[in-house]
Amino acid sequence: MKQKVNDQEQLILTLEEALTEIQVERESEKEHQWEQLQDIQIALATREEECISLSSNIEQLEDFKKSILKDKEILEGEIMHLRNDAKELQKKIIKLLKEKDILWKMNDRLRYLHKIQIDDRWVNDHEVTECLGCRSHFSFLLRKVCIFAF
């Protein structure tokens, strides 16, 4: 029986040593996990700060986007207005070009009529000494009759 008691005491000592080793290991793991937890908490705090900063940036960007969209709408309205103005100006240019063509035709016609009017005037006898068509000198045989300037 003593042997059994010795064996059991030996077993108890071995178990106590194993328990102590396990407790030391668990304490070491606990410290290591505590350090990891602190690192994770620091990382989490950093991420939360980043999230707050990014949320602020998102709000600023959304405000900027809204102002850009308003500017875009204003510019699109101005572009539409300018396009309408351009169409109206094109119509006016076409109208002015047609009027210019009409005026040029009228000018050409008036020049032609003026030239005909100048060319059709009566030439007095004492102003002309030769035929304006063939350049022959007038004489007793070659008479001045209804001579128009050429």
Side-chain angles (χ1 to χ4, degrees):
M1 200 138 101
K2 259 184 171 190
Q3 180 72 21
K4 268 189 171 182
V5 170
N6 277 342
D7 286 341
Q8 284 188 353
E9 283 179 0
Q10 188 71 13
L11 183 63
I12 289 174
L13 284 175
T14 307
L15 288 174
E16 284 178 350
E17 286 176 5
L19 180 63
T20 306
E21 286 177 12
I22 290 173
Q23 284 176 341
V24 168
E25 285 179 13
R26 295 294 172 233
E27 190 65 33
S28 173
E29 285 180 14
K30 182 180 174 183
E31 288 177 13
H32 180 69
Q33 288 177 348
W34 182 254
E35 289 173 359
Q36 285 180 338
L37 178 62
Q38 288 176 339
D39 290 343
I40 290 172
Q41 286 175 340
I42 291 171
L44 180 62
T46 304
R47 297 288 184 214
E48 286 176 351
E49 289 175 5
E50 288 177 7
C51 284
I52 291 170
S53 174
L54 289 174
S55 294
S56 174
N57 287 347
I58 287 173
E59 289 174 4
Q60 290 174 352
L61 288 173
E62 286 177 353
D63 291 342
F64 183 68
K65 179 183 172 184
K66 288 177 184 177
S67 70
I68 294 285
L69 289 175
K70 286 179 184 177
D71 291 345
K72 179 186 172 191
E73 289 175 9
I74 291 170
L75 291 175
E76 285 176 345
E78 289 178 5
I79 288 172
M80 186 72 82
H81 182 69
L82 289 173
R83 284 183 179 155
N84 290 338
D85 288 349
K87 287 179 183 177
E88 290 298 319
L89 288 173
Q90 286 176 344
K91 289 177 184 177
K92 287 181 181 180
I93 287 172
I94 291 170
K95 181 180 176 184
L96 289 172
L97 287 173
K98 288 179 180 178
E99 289 175 2
K100 182 192 96 170
D101 287 341
I102 291 170
L103 289 173
W104 274 108
K105 288 177 183 177
M106 290 173 68
N107 185 29
D108 289 344
R109 178 74 178 148
L110 288 173
R111 282 186 181 179
Y112 175 74
L113 291 174
H114 185 259
K115 183 178 179 186
I116 290 175
Q117 189 179 24
I118 289 173
D119 290 345
D120 286 347
R121 71 177 175 87
W122 181 264
V123 179
N124 291 328
D125 285 346
H126 65 280
E127 291 178 10
V128 181
T129 59
E130 59 186 28
C131 176
L132 296 176
C134 66
R135 300 281 184 221
S136 299
H137 282 286
F138 293 118
S139 64
F140 181 70
L141 296 174
L142 183 60
R143 306 289 299 205
K144 298 179 196 178
V145 180
C146 295
I147 299 173
F148 291 96
F150 290 97

